[in-house]
Amino acid sequence: MKILGIETSCDETAAAVVEDGTGIFSNQIASQVEIHARYGGIVPEVASRQHLLSIIPVIERAMTEAGVSWEDLSGIAVTVGPGLAGSLLVGVNVAKAIALSRGLPLIGVNHLEAHIYANWLGDGSIDFPVVCLIVSGGHSDLVLMKGHGDYVVLGRTRDDAAGEAFDKAARILGLGYPGGPAIEEASRQGTASIQLPRAWLKGSHDFSFSGVKTALLRLVEAGKVSSVADAAASFQAAVVEVLVTKTVVVARERRAKKVLLSGGVASNSVLREQLVKHSPFPVLVPPPILCTDNAAMIAACGYYRLQAGRTDGLDLDVVPSLKLA
Ligand code: KG4
Ligand code: ZN
């Protein structure tokens, strides 16, 4: 069963064809990162205009790469939220038009749920329960997944998301945008020798990353940072230590069969290595291209929703602040 996935929640226009929630036939991504880099962050109006320009060519490329025709598809899955309203609208309206004109089921997908489903793009054999850490530009969620579509959020960020913290730290250190890859790159030349605070929030599985970011800012303002590489490595180590420690605690508590890492920050190699090193349970992490925003994960998630009979009507609307559970 092949599903066309469409993703336009933020600054990537993406379309992909995936079979049975696991097999990638095509995965097209048009990134706007260079356009937004000029402004040091995402400009919502620019993002939605760019989605409008890119969406049809990207879908055409995904269909051509997959070598399928419309008759081969069993559904159209599209991100409805969370994300930027104007950006989400582009994908949702194109998806509705295709579903209506081709008589295909329309499946609205939660972007965060889809990040988790990036882990199914492979052999797809995952036994429940699993504990998932979703770390992206807008979210840091620790989730117990008991079955398909069955989530309990056990912890979430109280302020900055992990990716947002990376982006802000990079700006403080003059490393440019997007910050995550810039911090990772800079940290390769440094050591984590600067003491930065970790917010453990005892008794809670929530996260907080604004303190470590502010501590870094104070050090820079006081002229106490002599090596940007050491500062980047120290910041990365502080964020990774909290993410890994809390994830391992929750996985033990819930006797997870596996730990699933996902979201843009999951492409960070130090986070990947440290989680694998410290987790008593097997860790699954998608390849970096499936950690950052893509439409293959939307199609994979859409497949499981379709299997559960959870399709949508043409009154489907965007939900910019959609939560996981
Ligand atoms: O999942 P994603 O592509 O978009 C959202 O749904 O937000 O995540 C983007 C975030 C950005 O904050 C970016 O800085 C971060 O993921 N990121 C990284 C790395 N690559 C991307 N953070 C740390 N290390 C990386 N290598
Ligand atoms: Zn995302």
Side-chain angles (χ1 to χ4, degrees):
M1 198 180 265
K2 296 184 188 72
I3 306 281
L4 171 69
I6 297 173
E7 154 66 34
T8 63
S9 68
C10 194
D11 61 343
E12 325 276 4
T13 317
V17 176
V18 172
E19 187 171 46
D20 296 340
T22 56
I24 300 178
F25 273 54
S26 64
N27 189 24
Q28 290 289 326
I29 305 171
S31 176
Q32 306 176 7
V33 72
E34 280 172 24
I35 298 167
H36 298 289
R38 273 184 251 151
Y39 306 99
I42 295 162
V43 184
E45 288 79 4
V46 174
S48 44
R49 271 168 185 272
Q50 206 57 39
H51 284 306
L52 269 178
L53 293 174
S54 306
I55 188 71
I56 301 295
V58 165
I59 290 173
E60 281 172 350
R61 286 207 296 276
M63 293 295 285
T64 306
E65 186 194 357
V68 296
S69 60
W70 298 108
E71 291 72 40
D72 299 323
L73 296 180
S74 301
I76 310 290
V78 63
T79 308
V80 294
L84 303 167
S87 293
L88 291 163
L89 273 168
V90 176
V92 167
N93 282 311
V94 168
K96 281 186 192 178
I98 298 173
L100 177 66
S101 61
R102 300 289 169 178
L104 287 165
L106 178 66
I107 312 150
V109 166
N110 181 320
H111 181 87
L112 296 173
E113 193 178 350
H115 268 304
I116 297 176
Y117 273 94
N119 284 290
W120 266 262
L121 296 162
D123 73 1
S125 58
I126 300 174
D127 291 333
F128 296 107
V130 293
V131 158
C132 316
L133 175 67
I134 314 169
V135 270
S136 69
H139 294 83
S140 310
D141 290 343
L142 250 178
V143 180
L144 173 69
M145 186 177 180
K146 294 190 275 187
H148 288 294
D150 186 359
Y151 310 97
V152 184
V153 177
L154 302 169
R156 49 166 53 114
T157 186
R158 293 192 183 170
D159 39 56
D160 293 349
E164 190 182 357
F166 270 98
D167 292 335
K168 288 179 177 172
R171 203 173 305 154
I172 291 167
L173 294 174
L175 289 172
Y177 170 88
I183 295 262
E184 180 171 1
E185 183 60 34
S187 72
R188 287 188 217 283
Q189 317 301 325
T191 52
S193 52
I194 303 170
Q195 270 305 315
L196 289 171
R198 276 89 166 137
W200 294 112
L201 308 178
K202 282 225 165 65
S204 162
H205 299 314
D206 284 349
F207 299 104
S208 165
F209 295 113
S210 71
V212 60
K213 171 204 66 189
T214 307
L216 180 69
L217 177 64
R218 295 285 172 265
L219 286 177
V220 170
E221 284 173 346
K224 288 186 182 155
V225 169
S226 54
S227 158
V228 168
D230 287 355
S234 306
F235 177 83
Q236 180 173 261
V239 172
V240 165
E241 188 184 329
V242 175
L243 289 173
V244 168
T245 306
K246 287 189 170 250
T247 304
V248 169
V249 166
V250 167
R252 279 214 172 91
E253 267 179 26
R254 301 290 171 156
R255 296 185 207 302
K257 296 239 169 53
K258 275 192 175 121
V259 175
L260 274 49
L261 184 60
S262 59
V265 182
S267 46
N268 184 281
S269 58
V270 176
L271 174 59
R272 298 161 80 99
E273 284 160 20
Q274 290 296 310
L275 189 58
V276 168
K277 186 172 162 200
H278 293 285
S279 170
F281 309 103
V283 176
L284 271 186
V285 196
I289 190 68
L290 298 175
C291 287
T292 45
D293 288 349
N294 66 86
M297 68 185 195
I298 307 299
C301 184
Y303 168 77
Y304 286 97
R305 283 187 82 91
L306 184 62
Q307 292 290 82
R310 297 166 73 187
T311 57
D312 293 279
L314 290 172
D315 58 348
L316 180 70
D317 204 356
V318 302
V319 190
S321 57
L322 188 62
K323 300 260 186 302
L324 191 59

